[in-house]
Coordinates of all heavy atoms in Angstrom, one line a residue:
M134 N -17.7 -21.9 33.6 CA -17.0 -21.9 32.2 C -15.6 -21.4 32.4 O -15.4 -20.3 33.0 CB -17.8 -21.0 31.3 CG -17.4 -21.2 29.9 SD -18.3 -20.2 28.7 CE -19.4 -21.5 28.2
E135 N -14.6 -22.0 31.8 CA -13.3 -21.7 31.9 C -12.8 -20.8 30.7 O -13.4 -20.9 29.6 CB -12.4 -22.9 31.9 CG -12.4 -23.8 33.1 CD -11.5 -25.0 33.0 OE1 -10.4 -24.7 32.5 OE2 -11.8 -26.0 33.6
N136 N -11.9 -19.9 31.1 CA -11.4 -19.0 30.0 C -10.3 -19.8 29.2 O -9.6 -20.6 29.7 CB -10.7 -17.8 30.6 CG -11.7 -16.8 31.0 OD1 -12.8 -16.9 30.7 ND2 -11.3 -15.9 32.0
V137 N -10.3 -19.7 27.8 CA -9.4 -20.3 27.0 C -8.4 -19.3 26.6 O -8.7 -18.2 26.1 CB -10.2 -20.9 25.8 CG1 -9.2 -21.6 24.8 CG2 -11.2 -21.8 26.1
K138 N -7.1 -19.6 26.8 CA -6.0 -18.8 26.4 C -5.9 -18.9 24.9 O -5.5 -20.0 24.4 CB -4.8 -19.1 27.1 CG -3.7 -18.2 27.1 CD -2.6 -18.5 27.9 CE -1.5 -17.5 27.9 NZ -0.4 -17.7 28.8
V139 N -5.8 -17.8 24.2 CA -5.5 -17.7 22.8 C -4.3 -16.8 22.5 O -4.1 -15.9 23.3 CB -6.8 -17.2 21.9 CG1 -8.0 -18.2 22.0 CG2 -7.1 -15.8 22.3
Y140 N -3.7 -17.1 21.5 CA -2.4 -16.4 21.2 C -2.5 -15.4 20.1 O -1.5 -14.8 19.5 CB -1.3 -17.3 20.8 CG -1.0 -18.3 22.1 CD1 -1.6 -19.5 22.1 CD2 -0.2 -17.8 23.1 CE1 -1.3 -20.4 23.2 CE2 0.0 -18.6 24.1 CZ -0.5 -19.9 24.3 OH -0.3 -20.7 25.3
R141 N -3.7 -15.1 19.6 CA -4.0 -14.2 18.5 C -5.2 -13.5 18.8 O -6.2 -14.1 19.1 CB -4.0 -15.0 17.2 CG -4.1 -14.0 16.0 CD -4.2 -14.8 14.8 NE -4.3 -14.0 13.6 CZ -5.4 -13.4 13.2 NH1 -6.5 -13.4 13.9 NH2 -5.4 -12.7 12.1
S142 N -5.3 -12.3 18.5 CA -6.6 -11.4 18.7 C -7.4 -11.6 17.4 O -6.8 -11.4 16.3 CB -6.2 -10.0 19.0 OG -7.4 -9.2 19.0
I143 N -8.6 -11.8 17.5 CA -9.4 -12.0 16.4 C -9.6 -10.7 15.6 O -9.7 -10.6 14.4 CB -10.8 -12.6 16.7 CG1 -10.8 -13.9 17.3 CG2 -11.8 -12.5 15.5 CD1 -12.0 -14.5 17.8
N144 N -9.6 -9.5 16.3 CA -9.7 -8.3 15.7 C -8.4 -7.6 15.1 O -8.5 -6.7 14.4 CB -10.2 -7.2 16.7 CG -11.5 -7.6 17.2 OD1 -12.4 -8.2 16.5 ND2 -11.9 -7.2 18.4
A145 N -7.2 -8.3 15.3 CA -6.1 -7.8 14.8 C -5.9 -8.3 13.3 O -6.4 -9.2 12.8 CB -4.9 -8.4 15.6
A146 N -5.1 -7.4 12.5 CA -5.0 -7.7 11.2 C -3.9 -8.8 11.0 O -3.0 -9.0 11.9 CB -4.5 -6.5 10.4
D147 N -4.2 -9.6 10.0 CA -3.1 -10.6 9.7 C -1.8 -10.0 9.3 O -1.8 -9.2 8.4 CB -3.5 -11.6 8.5 CG -4.8 -12.3 8.9 OD1 -5.0 -12.6 10.1 OD2 -5.6 -12.7 8.0
R148 N -0.7 -10.5 9.9 CA 0.7 -10.0 9.6 C 1.6 -11.0 9.5 O 1.5 -12.1 10.1 CB 1.1 -9.2 10.8 CG 0.3 -7.8 11.1 CD 0.9 -7.1 12.3 NE 0.1 -5.8 12.4 CZ 0.5 -4.7 11.9 NH1 1.6 -4.7 11.3 NH2 -0.2 -3.6 12.2
L149 N 2.6 -10.8 8.6 CA 3.7 -11.7 8.4 C 4.9 -10.8 8.3 O 5.1 -10.0 7.5 CB 3.5 -12.4 7.0 CG 4.5 -13.5 6.6 CD1 4.6 -14.5 7.6 CD2 4.3 -14.0 5.3
F150 N 5.9 -11.1 9.1 CA 7.1 -10.3 9.3 C 6.8 -8.8 9.5 O 7.5 -7.9 9.1 CB 8.0 -10.4 8.1 CG 8.5 -11.9 7.8 CD1 8.1 -12.4 6.7 CD2 9.2 -12.5 8.8 CE1 8.5 -13.8 6.5 CE2 9.7 -13.8 8.6 CZ 9.3 -14.4 7.4
G151 N 5.8 -8.6 10.3 CA 5.4 -7.1 10.5 C 4.6 -6.4 9.5 O 4.3 -5.2 9.6
L152 N 4.3 -7.1 8.4 CA 3.6 -6.4 7.2 C 2.2 -7.0 7.0 O 2.0 -8.2 7.2 CB 4.5 -6.6 6.0 CG 5.9 -5.9 6.0 CD1 6.5 -6.2 4.6 CD2 5.7 -4.5 6.3
E153 N 1.3 -6.2 6.6 CA -0.1 -6.6 6.4 C -0.1 -7.2 4.8 O 0.8 -7.2 4.2 CB -1.0 -5.5 6.5 CG -1.0 -4.9 7.9 CD -1.9 -3.7 8.1 OE1 -2.5 -3.2 7.1 OE2 -1.9 -3.1 9.1
L154 N -1.3 -7.6 4.5 CA -1.5 -8.2 3.2 C -1.2 -7.2 2.1 O -0.6 -7.5 1.0 CB -2.9 -8.8 3.1 CG -3.3 -9.4 1.7 CD1 -2.3 -10.7 1.5 CD2 -4.7 -9.9 1.8
A155 N -1.7 -6.0 2.3 CA -1.5 -4.9 1.3 C -0.1 -4.5 1.2 O 0.4 -4.3 0.0 CB -2.2 -3.6 1.7
D156 N 0.7 -4.7 2.2 CA 2.1 -4.4 2.1 C 2.8 -5.5 1.3 O 3.8 -5.3 0.6 CB 2.8 -4.4 3.5 CG 2.0 -3.3 4.4 OD1 1.6 -2.3 3.9 OD2 2.0 -3.6 5.6
G157 N 2.3 -6.8 1.5 CA 2.9 -7.9 0.7 C 2.6 -7.6 -0.8 O 3.4 -8.1 -1.6
A158 N 1.4 -7.1 -1.1 CA 1.1 -6.7 -2.5 C 2.1 -5.7 -3.0 O 2.6 -5.8 -4.2 CB -0.3 -6.2 -2.6
V159 N 2.5 -4.8 -2.2 CA 3.5 -3.7 -2.6 C 4.8 -4.4 -3.0 O 5.4 -4.2 -3.9 CB 3.7 -2.6 -1.6 CG1 4.8 -1.7 -2.0 CG2 2.4 -1.8 -1.5
L160 N 5.2 -5.4 -2.0 CA 6.5 -6.1 -2.2 C 6.4 -7.0 -3.5 O 7.4 -7.1 -4.2 CB 6.9 -6.9 -1.0 CG 7.3 -6.1 0.3 CD1 7.6 -7.1 1.4 CD2 8.5 -5.4 -0.1
L161 N 5.3 -7.5 -3.7 CA 5.2 -8.4 -4.9 C 5.3 -7.5 -6.2 O 5.9 -8.0 -7.1 CB 3.7 -9.1 -4.9 CG 3.5 -10.1 -5.9 CD1 4.5 -11.3 -5.7 CD2 2.1 -10.6 -5.8
L162 N 4.8 -6.3 -6.1 CA 4.9 -5.4 -7.2 C 6.4 -5.1 -7.4 O 6.8 -5.0 -8.6 CB 4.0 -4.2 -7.1 CG 4.1 -3.1 -8.1 CD1 3.5 -3.6 -9.4 CD2 3.4 -1.8 -7.6
V163 N 7.1 -4.7 -6.4 CA 8.4 -4.4 -6.6 C 9.3 -5.7 -7.0 O 10.2 -5.5 -8.0 CB 9.1 -4.0 -5.1 CG1 10.6 -4.0 -5.1 CG2 8.4 -2.7 -4.7
F164 N 8.8 -6.8 -6.6 CA 9.5 -8.1 -7.1 C 9.3 -8.2 -8.6 O 10.3 -8.5 -9.3 CB 8.9 -9.3 -6.3 CG 9.3 -10.6 -7.0 CD1 10.6 -11.1 -6.6 CD2 8.5 -11.4 -7.8 CE1 10.9 -12.3 -7.1 CE2 8.9 -12.5 -8.3 CZ 10.1 -13.1 -8.0
F165 N 8.1 -8.0 -9.1 CA 7.8 -8.3 -10.6 C 8.5 -7.1 -11.3 O 9.1 -7.4 -12.4 CB 6.4 -8.2 -10.9 CG 5.7 -9.5 -10.6 CD1 4.7 -9.6 -9.8 CD2 6.2 -10.7 -11.1 CE1 4.1 -10.8 -9.5 CE2 5.6 -11.9 -10.9 CZ 4.6 -12.0 -10.1
L166 N 8.5 -5.9 -10.9 CA 9.3 -4.8 -11.5 C 10.8 -5.0 -11.6 O 11.4 -4.7 -12.6 CB 8.9 -3.4 -10.9 CG 7.4 -3.0 -11.1 CD1 7.2 -1.7 -10.3 CD2 7.1 -2.8 -12.6
A167 N 11.3 -5.4 -10.5 CA 12.8 -5.6 -10.3 C 13.1 -6.7 -11.3 O 14.2 -6.6 -12.1 CB 13.2 -6.0 -9.0
F168 N 12.4 -7.8 -11.5 CA 12.8 -8.9 -12.4 C 12.4 -8.6 -13.7 O 12.9 -9.3 -14.7 CB 12.3 -10.3 -11.8 CG 13.1 -10.8 -10.8 CD1 12.9 -10.7 -9.5 CD2 14.2 -11.5 -11.2 CE1 13.5 -11.3 -8.5 CE2 15.1 -12.1 -10.2 CZ 14.8 -12.0 -8.9
T169 N 11.5 -7.7 -14.1 CA 11.1 -7.3 -15.4 C 12.3 -6.4 -16.0 O 12.6 -6.7 -17.2 CB 9.8 -6.5 -15.4 OG1 8.8 -7.3 -14.9 CG2 9.5 -6.0 -16.8
F170 N 12.8 -5.6 -15.3 CA 13.9 -4.7 -15.8 C 15.2 -5.3 -15.7 O 16.2 -4.9 -16.4 CB 13.8 -3.3 -15.2 CG 12.5 -2.6 -15.4 CD1 11.7 -2.2 -14.4 CD2 12.3 -2.2 -16.7 CE1 10.5 -1.6 -14.7 CE2 11.2 -1.5 -17.0 CZ 10.2 -1.2 -16.0
N171 N 15.5 -6.2 -14.7 CA 16.9 -6.8 -14.6 C 16.7 -8.2 -14.4 O 16.7 -8.8 -13.2 CB 17.5 -6.0 -13.3 CG 18.9 -6.4 -13.3 OD1 19.6 -7.1 -14.1 ND2 19.6 -6.0 -12.2
R172 N 16.6 -9.0 -15.4 CA 16.3 -10.5 -15.3 C 17.6 -11.2 -14.8 O 17.4 -12.2 -14.1 CB 16.0 -11.0 -16.7 CG 14.7 -10.5 -17.1 CD 14.4 -11.0 -18.6 NE 13.3 -10.2 -19.1 CZ 12.2 -10.7 -19.6 NH1 12.1 -12.0 -19.7 NH2 11.3 -10.0 -20.0
T173 N 18.8 -10.7 -15.0 CA 19.9 -11.6 -14.6 C 20.5 -11.1 -13.2 O 21.4 -11.9 -12.7 CB 20.9 -11.6 -15.7 OG1 21.5 -10.2 -15.9 CG2 20.4 -12.1 -17.0
G174 N 20.2 -9.9 -12.7 CA 20.9 -9.3 -11.6 C 20.2 -9.8 -10.2 O 19.4 -9.1 -9.7
L175 N 20.4 -11.0 -9.9 CA 19.7 -11.6 -8.7 C 20.1 -10.8 -7.4 O 19.2 -10.4 -6.7 CB 20.1 -13.1 -8.5 CG 19.4 -13.7 -7.3 CD1 17.9 -13.8 -7.6 CD2 19.9 -15.1 -7.2
F176 N 21.3 -10.4 -7.3 CA 21.7 -9.7 -6.1 C 21.1 -8.3 -6.0 O 20.6 -7.8 -5.0 CB 23.2 -9.5 -6.1 CG 23.7 -8.7 -4.9 CD1 23.8 -9.3 -3.6 CD2 24.2 -7.4 -5.1 CE1 24.2 -8.6 -2.5 CE2 24.6 -6.7 -4.0 CZ 24.6 -7.2 -2.7
A177 N 21.1 -7.7 -7.2 CA 20.5 -6.3 -7.2 C 18.9 -6.4 -7.0 O 18.4 -5.5 -6.3 CB 20.7 -5.7 -8.6
N178 N 18.3 -7.4 -7.5 CA 16.8 -7.6 -7.3 C 16.5 -7.9 -5.8 O 15.6 -7.4 -5.2 CB 16.3 -8.6 -8.2 CG 16.3 -8.2 -9.6 OD1 16.6 -7.1 -9.9 ND2 16.1 -9.2 -10.5
V179 N 17.3 -8.7 -5.2 CA 17.1 -9.1 -3.8 C 17.4 -7.9 -3.0 O 16.6 -7.5 -1.9 CB 18.0 -10.2 -3.4 CG1 18.0 -10.5 -1.9 CG2 17.5 -11.5 -4.0
L180 N 18.4 -7.1 -3.3 CA 18.7 -5.8 -2.5 C 17.5 -4.9 -2.7 O 17.1 -4.1 -1.7 CB 20.0 -5.2 -3.1 CG 20.4 -4.0 -2.5 CD1 20.8 -4.2 -1.0 CD2 21.6 -3.4 -3.2
A181 N 17.0 -4.8 -3.9 CA 15.7 -3.8 -4.1 C 14.5 -4.3 -3.2 O 13.9 -3.5 -2.6 CB 15.3 -3.8 -5.5
L182 N 14.4 -5.6 -3.1 CA 13.3 -6.1 -2.2 C 13.6 -5.9 -0.8 O 12.7 -5.4 0.0 CB 13.1 -7.6 -2.4 CG 12.4 -8.0 -3.6 CD1 12.4 -9.6 -3.8 CD2 10.9 -7.6 -3.6
V183 N 14.8 -6.1 -0.4 CA 15.2 -5.7 1.0 C 14.9 -4.2 1.3 O 14.5 -3.8 2.4 CB 16.6 -6.1 1.3 CG1 17.1 -5.6 2.7 CG2 16.8 -7.7 1.4
I184 N 15.4 -3.4 0.5 CA 15.2 -2.0 0.6 C 13.7 -1.6 0.7 O 13.3 -0.7 1.5 CB 15.9 -1.1 -0.5 CG1 17.4 -1.3 -0.3 CG2 15.5 0.4 -0.5 CD1 18.3 -0.7 -1.5
A185 N 12.9 -2.2 -0.2 CA 11.4 -2.0 -0.1 C 10.9 -2.4 1.1 O 10.0 -1.8 1.7 CB 10.8 -2.7 -1.3
F186 N 11.3 -3.6 1.7 CA 10.8 -4.1 2.9 C 11.1 -3.3 4.1 O 10.3 -2.8 4.8 CB 11.4 -5.5 3.2 CG 11.0 -6.2 4.5 CD1 9.7 -6.6 4.7 CD2 11.9 -6.0 5.5 CE1 9.3 -7.2 6.0 CE2 11.6 -6.6 6.8 CZ 10.3 -7.2 6.9
V187 N 12.4 -2.7 4.2 CA 12.9 -1.9 5.2 C 12.1 -0.5 5.1 O 11.7 0.0 6.0 CB 14.4 -1.6 5.2 CG1 14.9 -0.7 6.2 CG2 15.0 -3.0 5.5
G188 N 11.9 -0.1 3.9 CA 11.2 1.2 3.7 C 9.8 1.1 4.1 O 9.2 2.1 4.8
L189 N 9.1 0.0 3.8 CA 7.7 -0.1 4.3 C 7.7 -0.3 5.8 O 6.7 0.3 6.5 CB 7.1 -1.5 3.7 CG 6.6 -1.4 2.3 CD1 6.2 -2.7 1.7 CD2 5.5 -0.4 2.3
R190 N 8.6 -1.0 6.4 CA 8.7 -1.1 7.9 C 8.9 0.3 8.5 O 8.2 0.7 9.6 CB 9.8 -2.0 8.3 CG 9.6 -3.5 8.0 CD 8.4 -4.0 8.8 NE 9.0 -4.0 10.2 CZ 8.4 -4.7 11.3 NH1 7.2 -5.3 11.1 NH2 8.8 -4.6 12.4
L191 N 9.8 1.1 8.0 CA 10.1 2.4 8.5 C 8.7 3.3 8.3 O 8.4 4.2 9.2 CB 11.2 3.0 7.9 CG 12.5 2.5 8.2 CD1 13.7 3.1 7.4 CD2 12.7 2.6 9.7
L192 N 8.1 3.2 7.1 CA 7.0 4.0 6.8 C 5.8 3.7 7.7 O 5.1 4.5 8.2 CB 6.5 3.7 5.4 CG 5.2 4.5 4.9 CD1 5.6 6.0 4.8 CD2 4.8 3.9 3.6
K193 N 5.7 2.4 8.2 CA 4.6 2.0 9.0 C 4.8 2.2 10.5 O 3.9 1.9 11.3 CB 4.3 0.6 8.7 CG 3.6 0.3 7.4 CD 3.3 -1.2 7.2 CE 2.5 -1.7 8.1 NZ 1.1 -1.6 7.8
R194 N 6.0 2.5 10.9 CA 6.4 2.6 12.3 C 5.5 3.6 12.9 O 5.4 4.8 12.6 CB 7.8 3.0 12.5 CG 8.1 3.3 13.9 CD 9.6 3.5 14.1 NE 10.3 2.2 13.9 CZ 11.6 2.2 13.9 NH1 12.3 3.3 13.9 NH2 12.2 1.0 13.7
G195 N 4.6 3.2 13.9 CA 3.7 4.0 14.8 C 2.5 4.4 14.1 O 1.7 5.3 14.5
K196 N 2.2 3.8 12.9 CA 1.1 4.1 12.1 C -0.1 3.1 12.4 O 0.2 2.0 12.8 CB 1.3 4.2 10.5 CG 2.4 5.1 10.1 CD 1.9 6.5 10.4 CE 3.0 7.5 9.8 NZ 4.3 7.5 10.1
P197 N -1.4 3.5 12.2 CA -2.4 2.5 12.5 C -2.5 1.4 11.4 O -1.9 1.6 10.3 CB -3.7 3.4 12.4 CG -3.3 4.5 11.6 CD -1.8 4.7 11.8
E198 N -3.3 0.4 11.6 CA -3.4 -0.6 10.5 C -4.1 -0.1 9.3 O -5.0 0.7 9.4 CB -4.3 -1.8 11.2 CG -3.7 -2.5 12.3 CD -4.6 -3.6 12.9 OE1 -5.7 -3.7 12.4 OE2 -4.1 -4.2 13.8
G199 N -3.7 -0.6 8.1 CA -4.2 -0.2 6.9 C -3.6 1.1 6.3 O -4.2 1.7 5.4
Y200 N -2.6 1.6 6.9 CA -2.1 2.9 6.5 C -1.5 2.9 5.1 O -1.8 3.8 4.4 CB -0.9 3.3 7.5 CG -0.2 4.6 7.2 CD1 -0.8 5.8 7.4 CD2 1.1 4.7 6.6 CE1 -0.3 7.0 7.1 CE2 1.6 5.8 6.3 CZ 1.0 7.0 6.5 OH 1.5 8.2 6.1
V201 N -0.8 1.9 4.7 CA -0.2 1.8 3.4 C -1.3 1.6 2.4 O -1.4 2.3 1.3 CB 0.8 0.6 3.3 CG1 1.2 0.4 1.8 CG2 2.0 0.9 4.2
R202 N -2.4 0.9 2.7 CA -3.6 0.7 1.8 C -4.2 2.2 1.7 O -4.5 2.6 0.4 CB -4.6 -0.2 2.3 CG -5.7 -0.5 1.5 CD -6.7 -1.4 2.2 NE -7.3 -0.7 3.3 CZ -7.3 -1.2 4.5 NH1 -7.0 -2.5 4.7 NH2 -7.9 -0.5 5.4
D203 N -4.4 2.9 2.6 CA -5.0 4.2 2.5 C -4.1 5.3 1.8 O -4.6 6.0 1.1 CB -5.4 4.7 3.9 CG -6.5 3.9 4.4 OD1 -7.3 3.2 3.8 OD2 -6.7 3.9 5.7
L204 N -2.8 5.2 2.1 CA -1.9 6.0 1.5 C -1.8 5.7 0.0 O -1.8 6.6 -0.8 CB -0.5 5.8 2.1 CG 0.6 6.8 1.5 CD1 0.3 8.1 1.9 CD2 1.9 6.3 2.2
T205 N -1.8 4.5 -0.4 CA -1.9 4.1 -1.9 C -3.1 4.5 -2.6 O -3.0 5.1 -3.7 CB -1.7 2.6 -2.1 OG1 -0.5 2.2 -1.2 CG2 -1.6 2.1 -3.4
R206 N -4.3 4.4 -1.9 CA -5.4 4.9 -2.4 C -5.4 6.4 -2.6 O -5.9 6.9 -3.7 CB -6.7 4.6 -1.5 CG -8.0 4.7 -2.0 CD -9.1 4.5 -1.2 NE -9.1 3.1 -0.8 CZ -9.4 2.5 0.5 NH1 -9.8 3.4 1.4 NH2 -9.2 1.3 0.8
H207 N -4.9 7.0 -1.7 CA -4.8 8.6 -1.8 C -3.9 9.0 -3.0 O -4.2 9.9 -3.8 CB -4.3 9.2 -0.6 CG -4.1 10.6 -0.5 ND1 -5.0 11.5 -0.6 CD2 -2.9 11.3 -0.6 CE1 -4.6 12.7 -0.6 NE2 -3.3 12.6 -0.6
V208 N -2.8 8.3 -3.2 CA -1.9 8.6 -4.2 C -2.3 8.4 -5.5 O -2.2 9.1 -6.6 CB -0.5 7.9 -3.9 CG1 0.4 8.1 -5.2 CG2 0.3 8.5 -2.8
L209 N -3.1 7.2 -5.7 CA -3.6 6.8 -7.0 C -4.8 7.6 -7.4 O -5.2 7.6 -8.6 CB -3.8 5.3 -6.9 CG -2.6 4.4 -6.9 CD1 -3.0 2.9 -6.9 CD2 -1.6 4.8 -8.0
A210 N -5.6 8.2 -6.4 CA -6.8 8.9 -6.7 C -6.4 10.2 -7.6 O -5.4 10.8 -7.3 CB -7.5 9.3 -5.5
S211 N -7.2 10.5 -8.5 CA -7.1 11.6 -9.3 C -7.2 13.0 -8.5 O -8.1 13.1 -7.7 CB -8.0 11.6 -10.4 OG -8.0 12.9 -11.2
R212 N -6.2 13.9 -8.6 CA -6.2 15.1 -7.9 C -7.1 16.1 -8.5 O -7.4 17.2 -7.9 CB -4.8 15.7 -7.8 CG -3.8 14.7 -7.2 CD -2.7 15.4 -6.7 NE -1.6 14.6 -6.2 CZ -1.6 13.8 -5.2 NH1 -2.6 13.6 -4.5 NH2 -0.5 13.1 -4.9
F213 N -7.7 15.9 -9.6 CA -8.5 17.0 -10.3 C -9.9 16.6 -10.4 O -10.6 17.1 -11.3 CB -7.9 17.1 -11.7 CG -6.4 17.5 -11.7 CD1 -5.5 16.6 -12.1 CD2 -6.1 18.8 -11.2 CE1 -4.2 16.9 -12.0 CE2 -4.8 19.1 -11.2 CZ -3.7 18.2 -11.6
K214 N -10.5 15.7 -9.5 CA -11.8 15.4 -9.5 C -12.7 16.6 -9.2 O -13.8 16.8 -9.8 CB -12.2 14.3 -8.5 CG -11.6 12.9 -9.1 CD -12.0 11.9 -8.1 CE -11.5 10.5 -8.6 NZ -11.8 9.4 -7.7
A215 N -12.4 17.3 -8.2 CA -13.1 18.5 -7.8 C -13.0 19.6 -8.8 O -13.7 20.7 -8.7 CB -12.8 18.9 -6.5
L216 N -11.9 19.7 -9.6 CA -11.6 20.8 -10.5 C -12.0 20.6 -12.0 O -11.3 21.1 -12.8 CB -10.1 21.2 -10.4 CG -9.6 21.6 -8.9 CD1 -8.2 21.8 -9.0 CD2 -10.4 22.8 -8.5
S217 N -13.0 19.8 -12.1 CA -13.4 19.5 -13.5 C -13.9 20.7 -14.3 O -14.6 21.5 -13.7 CB -14.5 18.4 -13.5 OG -15.6 18.7 -12.9
A218 N -13.6 20.7 -15.5 CA -14.0 21.9 -16.4 C -15.5 21.8 -16.6 O -16.1 20.8 -16.6 CB -13.3 21.8 -17.7
F219 N -16.2 23.0 -16.8 CA -17.5 23.0 -17.1 C -17.7 22.7 -18.5 O -16.9 23.0 -19.4 CB -18.1 24.6 -16.9 CG -18.1 24.9 -15.4 CD1 -17.3 25.8 -14.9 CD2 -19.0 24.4 -14.6 CE1 -17.4 26.2 -13.6 CE2 -19.1 24.6 -13.3 CZ -18.3 25.6 -12.8
D220 N -18.9 22.2 -18.9 CA -19.4 22.0 -20.2 C -19.8 23.3 -20.7 O -20.0 24.3 -20.1 CB -20.5 21.0 -20.3 CG -20.0 19.6 -19.9 OD1 -18.9 19.3 -20.1 OD2 -21.0 18.8 -19.6
D221 N -19.8 23.4 -22.1 CA -20.2 24.6 -22.7 C -21.7 25.0 -22.3 O -21.9 26.2 -22.1 CB -20.2 24.5 -24.3 CG -18.8 24.4 -24.8 OD1 -17.9 24.9 -24.0 OD2 -18.6 23.8 -25.8
G222 N -22.5 24.1 -22.2 CA -23.9 24.3 -21.8 C -24.0 24.9 -20.3 O -24.8 25.8 -20.0
E223 N -23.1 24.3 -19.6 CA -23.1 24.8 -18.1 C -22.5 26.2 -18.0 O -23.0 27.1 -17.3 CB -22.3 23.8 -17.2 CG -23.0 22.5 -17.0 CD -22.1 21.5 -16.3 OE1 -20.9 21.9 -16.0 OE2 -22.6 20.5 -15.8
A224 N -21.5 26.4 -18.8 CA -20.9 27.8 -18.8 C -21.9 28.9 -19.2 O -22.0 29.9 -18.7 CB -19.6 27.8 -19.7
V225 N -22.8 28.6 -20.2 CA -23.7 29.6 -20.8 C -24.8 29.7 -19.8 O -25.2 30.9 -19.4 CB -24.3 29.0 -22.1 CG1 -25.5 29.9 -22.5 CG2 -23.2 29.1 -23.1
A226 N -25.2 28.7 -19.1 CA -26.3 28.7 -18.1 C -25.8 29.5 -16.9 O -26.5 30.4 -16.3 CB -26.7 27.4 -17.7
K227 N -24.6 29.4 -16.5 CA -24.0 30.1 -15.3 C -23.9 31.6 -15.7 O -24.0 32.4 -14.8 CB -22.8 29.5 -14.9 CG -22.9 28.1 -14.4 CD -22.3 28.0 -13.0 CE -22.4 26.5 -12.6 NZ -23.0 26.4 -11.3
G228 N -23.5 31.8 -16.9 CA -23.3 33.3 -17.4 C -24.7 34.0 -17.4 O -24.7 35.2 -17.2
D229 N -25.8 33.4 -17.8 CA -27.0 34.0 -18.0 C -27.6 34.3 -16.5 O -28.4 35.2 -16.5 CB -28.0 33.1 -18.7 CG -27.6 33.0 -20.2 OD1 -26.8 33.9 -20.6 OD2 -27.9 32.0 -20.9
A230 N -27.2 33.6 -15.5 CA -28.0 33.7 -14.2 C -27.5 34.9 -13.5 O -27.0 35.8 -13.7 CB -27.8 32.4 -13.4

């Protein structure tokens, strides 16, 4: 059986211009926000997209695959899940014990 030469690893993440799919979603969000707030400023909006692209590339330099997705999940997660307040019933039960 002969080996077949392939030009893409099956286990590698899909990339376009060095960015993953989640990074493309971030750029799409920047695109929509830029054109929502500044509908007529094409140059400024393209400049915002270029800055976002370069920023993502710099942020991802040397990082593992899925880094931006995990970072976004961490930032959007509530910081106060572990510090939830006790209910009145729980406070009384804890005080009696």
Side-chain angles (χ1 to χ4, degrees):
M134 184 175 269
E135 290 183 35
N136 289 339
V137 177
K138 189 174 187 178
V139 295
Y140 297 99
R141 184 183 181 286
S142 175
I143 294 174
N144 297 329
D147 292 330
R148 292 181 179 265
L149 182 64
F150 300 117
L152 298 179
E153 297 174 4
L154 183 62
D156 306 332
V159 171
L160 285 178
L161 190 63
L162 178 67
V163 169
F164 172 80
F165 281 124
L166 288 175
F168 278 97
T169 298
F170 293 116
N171 189 7
R172 294 176 191 232
T173 59
L175 184 62
F176 178 74
N178 294 343
V179 170
L180 183 64
L182 281 175
V183 168
I184 290 172
F186 176 77
V187 170
L189 280 172
R190 292 286 296 186
L191 291 175
L192 179 70
K193 290 179 61 89
R194 177 176 285 170
K196 304 294 190 300
E198 293 178 359
Y200 178 75
V201 172
R202 183 186 64 228
D203 292 339
L204 182 66
T205 304
R206 185 181 306 145
H207 175 72
V208 168
L209 293 179
S211 173
R212 300 205 190 293
F213 302 107
K214 288 181 182 177
L216 302 176
S217 62
F219 290 111
D220 291 339
D221 291 335
E223 290 176 348
V225 171
K227 295 236 183 230
D229 292 338

